[in-house]
Amino acid sequence: MSRAGVLAPSDSPPAAREPRRLSGLTGAAGLGVWVALVLGAWIWGGVINASGRPNMLVQAPPLTGHFWFPTRLWMLPVVALAILAVAFGPRVARSVPFMRLLLLGFAAAAAWAVALASTNGSHSLIGPVTDPLDYLHDLAKVVSPGAFLDSFTDRIGTYTTHVRSHPPGMLLVLWSLDAAGLSGPWWVAALEIAGGAAAVPAVLLAVREVAGEGRVREAAPFVVLAPAWVWVATSADALFMGVGAWAVALIVIATGRRDRGGDLAALGGGLLFGAGIFLSYGLVLLAVIPGAVALVRRRPRPVLIAATGAAAVVGAFGLAGFWWFEGLFATRRQYLEGISRHRSYVYFLIANLAAFAIALGPATMAGLARLRDRSVWLLSGGAIAAIALADLSGMSKGEVERIWLQFAPWVLIAGCSLAPSPRPRAWLAANAGVAILVQIAVRSPW
């Protein structure tokens, strides 16, 4: 692997790259910002809800849904899993072979997501999939892929909320599953959970490429044991997260190679990226991350190859009758005529960040405050820049705990800065506790 770039993998111990003990004040400051942001958005949202204005459908501000506090035995397995993960996760991440760590990260993330969702009973795994507003409801409208794509923009108002809020790619994925004999909500749920969990090894590979294996082992427990996984089982955005993560990771890996393998990785990343933007319009913002890595490494070739692959996918969809920008503008019109009318731009400019902060967990905010590794910051900072663009666009007023899942793992890696702290397991426990609290106290549509 080439070390010609400015950023190069390093397997030296983390202690050699920065002081072992950082001031506890930075972590406390990050935690304070997290609490203030969440509490402020909750109070402000409550005032709006009590004001008699049109319902903004956010009854558990800043999260979409409403508060409920049922007592259920289903929560015991997820509590037990969280205790085991906190107790043994960091040790396992430090000791197992790297490839096994990637597989364990995938399996642990899937198990954590399923365990969280199952606190409402096993039926909750397919509940969101079978919702009348979700994709599966419109599957019967896809008679043939060509006719569906050709008429999608013209008929956008006839589709359910999730379908008309996204490009047509997800419905084509479900049509393909159905054509392959894998029909029904359980197959869709399995795809979404597996797709979300697949983001973990992708992100960890990207971290190893720019920051070294030591950082991967520190970051892995914080990537897996995060509140964001509450919205993975089962949400189509989890699948989008996995596709986007692998697209970014392949391009990032390509920036560190100057052989045919690097070109193939860049092309694969570009093709995945092209496919991803036909699943979610917002996924295009992830281009900031590999773009930043390529810029710092002075490696434009992988980005150009990836752009060629993505353009080929865009062209193929265009020839089939669906043009990406035309679909984006049609979706924007639908959005502005819908619930967006009842949601304040200024409030959600802040509330979106608060909702996403809940998805990241307090440990991640503390980790960002303590993070001094510029290589890791390149990945996390790129994701934060993408989040800022998404927030300012006004196209996501609420529901970002789900919509912004694609950005989450790239920020969660900042938890690596907490590994050298005196009580890293306490931070992991804080994230796990927030995840369980949100799952049992907030009933959301997903």
Short mmCIF file of all heavy atoms in Angstrom, two decimals, residues 294-322:
data_model
loop_
_atom_site.label_atom_id
_atom_site.label_comp_id
_atom_site.label_asym_id
_atom_site.label_seq_id
_atom_site.Cartn_x
_atom_site.Cartn_y
_atom_site.Cartn_z
N ALA A 294 -8.94 12.59 -0.49
CA ALA A 294 -8.21 12.69 -1.75
C ALA A 294 -7.49 14.03 -1.86
O ALA A 294 -6.35 14.11 -2.36
CB ALA A 294 -9.16 12.50 -2.93
N LEU A 295 -8.12 15.08 -1.37
CA LEU A 295 -7.51 16.41 -1.42
C LEU A 295 -6.26 16.47 -0.56
O LEU A 295 -5.21 16.96 -1.00
CB LEU A 295 -8.52 17.47 -0.98
CG LEU A 295 -8.05 18.93 -0.99
CD1 LEU A 295 -7.74 19.37 -2.42
CD2 LEU A 295 -9.10 19.84 -0.36
N VAL A 296 -6.36 15.97 0.65
CA VAL A 296 -5.22 16.00 1.57
C VAL A 296 -4.09 15.10 1.06
O VAL A 296 -2.91 15.43 1.17
CB VAL A 296 -5.67 15.60 2.99
CG1 VAL A 296 -4.47 15.43 3.91
CG2 VAL A 296 -6.61 16.65 3.56
N ARG A 297 -4.46 13.97 0.48
CA ARG A 297 -3.45 13.05 -0.04
C ARG A 297 -2.97 13.42 -1.45
O ARG A 297 -2.07 12.78 -1.97
CB ARG A 297 -4.02 11.63 -0.07
CG ARG A 297 -4.05 10.96 1.28
CD ARG A 297 -4.54 9.52 1.18
NE ARG A 297 -4.11 8.76 2.35
CZ ARG A 297 -4.41 7.49 2.58
NH1 ARG A 297 -5.16 6.82 1.70
NH2 ARG A 297 -3.96 6.88 3.65
N ARG A 298 -3.60 14.43 -2.02
CA ARG A 298 -3.26 14.87 -3.38
C ARG A 298 -3.39 13.70 -4.37
O ARG A 298 -2.48 13.42 -5.16
CB ARG A 298 -1.84 15.45 -3.42
CG ARG A 298 -1.68 16.67 -2.52
CD ARG A 298 -0.27 17.19 -2.52
NE ARG A 298 -0.11 18.29 -1.57
CZ ARG A 298 1.04 18.90 -1.31
NH1 ARG A 298 2.15 18.52 -1.95
NH2 ARG A 298 1.10 19.88 -0.43
N ARG A 299 -4.54 13.06 -4.30
CA ARG A 299 -4.80 11.89 -5.13
C ARG A 299 -6.13 12.07 -5.87
O ARG A 299 -7.16 11.49 -5.50
CB ARG A 299 -4.84 10.62 -4.27
CG ARG A 299 -3.51 10.22 -3.69
CD ARG A 299 -2.66 9.51 -4.75
NE ARG A 299 -3.21 8.19 -5.03
CZ ARG A 299 -3.41 7.69 -6.24
NH1 ARG A 299 -3.12 8.41 -7.30
NH2 ARG A 299 -3.91 6.48 -6.40
N PRO A 300 -6.16 12.89 -6.92
CA PRO A 300 -7.41 13.12 -7.63
C PRO A 300 -7.86 11.92 -8.47
O PRO A 300 -9.04 11.80 -8.78
CB PRO A 300 -7.10 14.33 -8.52
CG PRO A 300 -5.61 14.25 -8.74
CD PRO A 300 -5.05 13.72 -7.46
N ARG A 301 -6.93 11.05 -8.88
CA ARG A 301 -7.27 9.95 -9.79
C ARG A 301 -8.40 9.07 -9.25
O ARG A 301 -9.37 8.80 -9.98
CB ARG A 301 -6.02 9.12 -10.07
CG ARG A 301 -6.28 7.92 -10.99
CD ARG A 301 -4.99 7.09 -11.18
NE ARG A 301 -5.26 5.88 -11.94
CZ ARG A 301 -5.22 5.80 -13.26
NH1 ARG A 301 -4.93 6.87 -13.97
NH2 ARG A 301 -5.46 4.65 -13.86
N PRO A 302 -8.34 8.60 -7.99
CA PRO A 302 -9.45 7.76 -7.51
C PRO A 302 -10.80 8.47 -7.56
O PRO A 302 -11.82 7.84 -7.85
CB PRO A 302 -9.05 7.43 -6.06
CG PRO A 302 -7.56 7.58 -6.04
CD PRO A 302 -7.27 8.71 -6.98
N VAL A 303 -10.81 9.76 -7.27
CA VAL A 303 -12.07 10.50 -7.30
C VAL A 303 -12.60 10.60 -8.72
O VAL A 303 -13.82 10.46 -8.97
CB VAL A 303 -11.88 11.92 -6.69
CG1 VAL A 303 -13.14 12.75 -6.86
CG2 VAL A 303 -11.53 11.80 -5.21
N LEU A 304 -11.71 10.82 -9.68
CA LEU A 304 -12.14 10.91 -11.07
C LEU A 304 -12.68 9.57 -11.57
O LEU A 304 -13.69 9.51 -12.28
CB LEU A 304 -10.98 11.38 -11.95
CG LEU A 304 -10.49 12.81 -11.70
CD1 LEU A 304 -9.25 13.10 -12.53
CD2 LEU A 304 -11.59 13.81 -12.01
N ILE A 305 -12.01 8.48 -11.18
CA ILE A 305 -12.49 7.15 -11.57
C ILE A 305 -13.85 6.87 -10.93
O ILE A 305 -14.77 6.36 -11.57
CB ILE A 305 -11.47 6.07 -11.19
CG1 ILE A 305 -10.18 6.24 -12.01
CG2 ILE A 305 -12.04 4.67 -11.38
CD1 ILE A 305 -9.05 5.32 -11.59
N ALA A 306 -13.97 7.22 -9.64
CA ALA A 306 -15.24 7.01 -8.94
C ALA A 306 -16.34 7.84 -9.58
O ALA A 306 -17.48 7.36 -9.75
CB ALA A 306 -15.09 7.38 -7.47
N ALA A 307 -16.03 9.07 -9.95
CA ALA A 307 -17.02 9.94 -10.59
C ALA A 307 -17.48 9.34 -11.92
O ALA A 307 -18.66 9.44 -12.28
CB ALA A 307 -16.45 11.33 -10.80
N THR A 308 -16.56 8.70 -12.63
CA THR A 308 -16.93 8.06 -13.89
C THR A 308 -17.91 6.92 -13.66
O THR A 308 -18.91 6.77 -14.38
CB THR A 308 -15.67 7.52 -14.60
OG1 THR A 308 -14.76 8.60 -14.84
CG2 THR A 308 -16.02 6.85 -15.92
N GLY A 309 -17.64 6.11 -12.62
CA GLY A 309 -18.55 5.02 -12.28
C GLY A 309 -19.92 5.52 -11.87
O GLY A 309 -20.95 4.99 -12.31
N ALA A 310 -19.94 6.57 -11.05
CA ALA A 310 -21.22 7.13 -10.61
C ALA A 310 -21.99 7.72 -11.79
O ALA A 310 -23.21 7.56 -11.89
CB ALA A 310 -20.98 8.21 -9.55
N ALA A 311 -21.27 8.39 -12.68
CA ALA A 311 -21.92 8.98 -13.85
C ALA A 311 -22.54 7.92 -14.74
O ALA A 311 -23.60 8.14 -15.35
CB ALA A 311 -20.90 9.81 -14.65
N ALA A 312 -21.89 6.75 -14.83
CA ALA A 312 -22.44 5.66 -15.63
C ALA A 312 -23.79 5.20 -15.08
O ALA A 312 -24.73 4.92 -15.83
CB ALA A 312 -21.46 4.49 -15.67
N VAL A 313 -23.90 5.14 -13.75
CA VAL A 313 -25.17 4.74 -13.13
C VAL A 313 -26.23 5.81 -13.38
O VAL A 313 -27.38 5.50 -13.73
CB VAL A 313 -24.98 4.50 -11.62
CG1 VAL A 313 -26.32 4.13 -10.97
CG2 VAL A 313 -23.97 3.40 -11.37
N VAL A 314 -25.86 7.06 -13.20
CA VAL A 314 -26.80 8.16 -13.45
C VAL A 314 -27.28 8.13 -14.89
O VAL A 314 -28.48 8.30 -15.18
CB VAL A 314 -26.15 9.53 -13.13
CG1 VAL A 314 -27.06 10.67 -13.54
CG2 VAL A 314 -25.83 9.62 -11.63
N GLY A 315 -26.36 7.89 -15.82
CA GLY A 315 -26.73 7.82 -17.22
C GLY A 315 -27.67 6.67 -17.52
O GLY A 315 -28.61 6.81 -18.31
N ALA A 316 -27.42 5.51 -16.89
CA ALA A 316 -28.28 4.35 -17.11
C ALA A 316 -29.70 4.63 -16.63
O ALA A 316 -30.68 4.28 -17.32
CB ALA A 316 -27.70 3.13 -16.38
N PHE A 317 -29.83 5.26 -15.47
CA PHE A 317 -31.17 5.61 -14.98
C PHE A 317 -31.82 6.64 -15.91
O PHE A 317 -33.04 6.58 -16.16
CB PHE A 317 -31.08 6.16 -13.56
CG PHE A 317 -31.21 5.12 -12.49
CD1 PHE A 317 -30.09 4.42 -12.06
CD2 PHE A 317 -32.43 4.81 -11.92
CE1 PHE A 317 -30.19 3.45 -11.07
CE2 PHE A 317 -32.55 3.86 -10.93
CZ PHE A 317 -31.42 3.16 -10.51
N GLY A 318 -31.00 7.58 -16.42
CA GLY A 318 -31.55 8.59 -17.31
C GLY A 318 -32.08 7.97 -18.60
O GLY A 318 -33.16 8.34 -19.07
N LEU A 319 -31.34 7.03 -19.14
CA LEU A 319 -31.79 6.35 -20.35
C LEU A 319 -33.06 5.55 -20.11
O LEU A 319 -33.89 5.37 -21.02
CB LEU A 319 -30.68 5.44 -20.89
CG LEU A 319 -29.44 6.15 -21.46
CD1 LEU A 319 -28.37 5.14 -21.82
CD2 LEU A 319 -29.83 6.99 -22.68
N ALA A 320 -33.23 5.08 -18.86
CA ALA A 320 -34.43 4.33 -18.51
C ALA A 320 -35.63 5.24 -18.27
O ALA A 320 -36.75 4.76 -18.08
CB ALA A 320 -34.17 3.46 -17.28
N GLY A 321 -35.38 6.57 -18.20
CA GLY A 321 -36.50 7.49 -18.07
C GLY A 321 -36.53 8.32 -16.81
O GLY A 321 -37.41 9.18 -16.65
N PHE A 322 -35.58 8.10 -15.89
CA PHE A 322 -35.59 8.87 -14.65
C PHE A 322 -34.31 9.69 -14.54
O PHE A 322 -33.21 9.14 -14.50
CB PHE A 322 -35.71 7.96 -13.42
CG PHE A 322 -35.65 8.71 -12.11
CD1 PHE A 322 -36.77 9.37 -11.63
CD2 PHE A 322 -34.47 8.77 -11.38
CE1 PHE A 322 -36.72 10.09 -10.43
CE2 PHE A 322 -34.41 9.48 -10.19
CZ PHE A 322 -35.53 10.13 -9.72
#
